[in-house]
Amino acid sequence: MIKKLTLKNFLSFGGEETIHFNTNNIFGIVGHNSSGKTNILIALDMLKQIIVRSASNSPESLMPLNFCKFNQDYFSKISIEFIIENKVYNYEVEYSFFIKTEELSIDNKRIYLIKREIENNSEEIHNRITSYKNKNNLKINVNYKNTFDTEIDLIHENNKHIRPNASLISMFKFLNESYLSEVYDYFNLFKIQSSAANTAVQVVRDPNFIKIIMDEQYKSKILDLIKLVDKDIDNYKILTKDTNEQALDITIDPVTGEIKTKSSTIDKIDELIFYKNNVEFTHQECSVGVLKLLQLIPSLFHVISNKAIFIVDELDTGLNPIIYPKLLSLFESNSNSMIIFTTHNLLLLENLKSDQIGIIEKDNYSSRISIAKDFYEDGVPYHNYIRDYLQGRLSFKYLEKIHSENNDVDLTWLSK
């Protein structure tokens, strides 16, 4: 369970902003176009890349640059507070094209802090970042030194393996060390899905989709989900080609830079047939809503089965609002799983509580975050989120007026 996320100088978040998820396992984020909603999800994906995948990068590869272009500080900072088996973890990372600082605490006790001091001057760093934006194959060759604040002997034993573009947790996993593996496993279970609508062909070619759709034990559950958007579908069958499709996994040794390959085979779906009253329909003939559900199915099964976190951009795209309550009920009945989503459909908000709604706005080119609960008095039984949002009452500017000493804001609408 994620409790809170703090971003500083990250994409549209020029200042420092914190979004409080509290102990909710359902959280929706609403905001105007280009307000910064998707950047919340990008930050969570960036954390997964740093903690899980960074040790697999080439030793000289560069970190992505995510700093706000309206600022002169070339470093971005992400902090996250989360719970694993009733313990509160705090992880913070500051980076540009290398990881500048990395810190982990458990129950307010620092586990480690790593700092990298760049010996090049600021002008040199600026020149390198400028070069990065113009030339993607720039390599890390800055001079740096590591400093440690930790009681973990393992860090000193493996100091030679610590690189400027890899997190310590990711390196531990690569070295087959079990220490802090629970953090690695936690972020590895993040399922992050963009808003880009896949075509019918892309959906049925997804290996994760193929694995689930071909498993007979999931068939009845899959049909239940599909019937949410097309109640006439009562069955489906899978047609496969005679030959299997070859898959190739590529990994890079983070110490030597050696490229390793491993081949495998996956089943390939030639056609997915749906039945409506014994009449056949191909998946290409299905509605956008069915394709959206098919696109969500691998993530939903992954998250619910593994007690994981589903992070999805524009959950509402292609779906009728009547489906939202049933879709969200999958998480309401499973407190160990969590869904964080963005939306433009205000009807979705009516299925949430006031502390389950985050509002993203822009102020002087920088995104700001507020929680709907902050705009309501305690004890008010019903909130009309759609009306209040459209009337500008769920706005940090409105909130500032409410808390100002001499405010002339009419609060009578709260009880209407």
Side-chain angles (χ1 to χ4, degrees), residues 27-93:
F27 198 90
I29 302 170
V30 66
H32 200 277
N33 295 98
S34 301
S35 59
K37 299 185 303 300
T38 302
N39 291 339
I40 296 285
L41 310 189
I42 292 175
L44 292 170
D45 188 35
M46 189 65 205
L47 281 171
K48 180 175 181 177
Q49 290 185 47
I50 291 172
I51 293 174
V52 175
R53 308 187 189 114
S54 57
S56 298
N57 296 332
S58 168
E60 293 185 336
S61 65
L62 291 163
M63 300 280 292
L65 293 181
N66 296 127
F67 58 82
C68 179
K69 292 186 177 181
F70 293 106
N71 292 344
Q72 294 301 313
D73 188 353
Y74 297 114
F75 292 93
S76 300
K77 182 186 288 187
I78 309 176
S79 305
I80 187 168
E81 184 176 305
F82 54 100
I83 299 174
I84 302 177
E85 295 183 353
N86 297 320
K87 292 184 178 180
V88 179
Y89 289 71
N90 284 276
Y91 180 82
E92 181 175 288
V93 61

Side-chain angles (χ1 to χ4, degrees), residues 82-216:
F82 54 100
I83 299 174
I84 302 177
E85 295 183 353
N86 297 320
K87 292 184 178 180
V88 179
Y89 289 71
N90 284 276
Y91 180 82
E92 181 175 288
V93 61
E94 187 176 3
Y95 66 95
S96 60
F97 52 84
F98 68 99
I99 296 177
K100 183 180 179 183
T101 62
E102 181 187 8
E103 181 177 6
L104 178 70
S105 300
I106 303 178
D107 287 338
N108 293 321
K109 179 183 179 182
R110 178 182 286 169
I111 304 302
Y112 70 81
L113 169 63
I114 300 177
K115 293 183 178 181
R116 294 181 176 90
E117 297 180 12
I118 300 299
E119 296 175 359
N120 306 73
N121 60 37
S122 58
E123 182 179 355
E124 176 70 11
I125 294 175
H126 172 77
N127 291 338
R128 292 184 185 281
I129 291 176
T130 302
S131 300
Y132 173 90
K133 290 187 284 188
N134 298 325
K135 187 178 180 182
N136 290 328
N137 62 353
L138 181 70
K139 301 296 184 180
I140 291 179
N141 59 359
V142 296
N143 297 319
Y144 71 93
K145 59 180 179 180
N146 292 323
T147 59
F148 305 99
D149 182 1
T150 177
E151 296 180 357
I152 305 175
D153 293 334
L154 204 57
I155 290 182
H156 301 287
E157 294 171 2
N158 296 293
N159 188 11
K160 63 181 180 179
H161 297 303
I162 296 176
R163 298 189 277 103
N165 63 347
S167 70
L168 185 63
I169 297 169
S170 185
M171 290 302 301
F172 280 166
K173 186 68 175 182
F174 176 81
L175 296 169
N176 293 319
E177 299 285 358
S178 60
Y179 193 73
L180 298 177
S181 61
E182 77 277 12
V183 180
Y184 178 96
D185 294 338
Y186 179 85
F187 284 90
N188 193 36
L189 287 175
F190 276 26
K191 198 68 177 180
I192 301 168
Q193 195 156 315
S194 70
S195 61
N198 287 351
T199 65
V201 173
Q202 288 173 321
V203 169
V204 299
R205 295 294 183 265
D206 180 358
N208 295 320
F209 175 80
I210 293 171
K211 181 180 179 180
I212 291 173
I213 202 77
M214 294 187 73
D215 195 327
E216 282 294 322

Side-chain angles (χ1 to χ4, degrees), residues 259-319:
I259 298 177
K260 301 177 182 179
T261 60
K262 182 177 68 174
S263 62
S264 60
T265 59
I266 59 172
D267 292 310
K268 186 175 182 180
I269 293 180
D270 186 39
E271 188 62 81
L272 183 59
I273 303 293
F274 291 98
Y275 289 93
K276 300 180 183 182
N277 194 26
N278 295 322
V279 178
E280 291 187 354
F281 293 85
T282 67
H283 61 271
Q284 289 98 334
E285 296 174 302
C286 290
S287 68
V288 173
V290 171
L291 291 178
K292 175 70 174 187
L293 245 301
L294 294 179
Q295 184 183 357
L296 293 175
I297 279 173
S299 298
L300 288 172
F301 276 79
H302 168 88
V303 170
I304 300 299
S305 302
N306 294 285
K307 301 178 180 179
I309 297 176
F310 187 21
I311 302 158
V312 56
D313 199 12
E314 297 186 13
L315 175 66
D316 56 280
T317 303
L319 297 178

Side-chain angles (χ1 to χ4, degrees), residues 32 69 81 171 217 220 240 306 328 396 404 408 413:
H32 200 277
K69 292 186 177 181
E81 184 176 305
M171 290 302 301
Q217 67 172 322
S220 63
T240 59
N306 294 285
L328 295 177
F396 66 85
S404 64
D408 55 357
W413 59 271

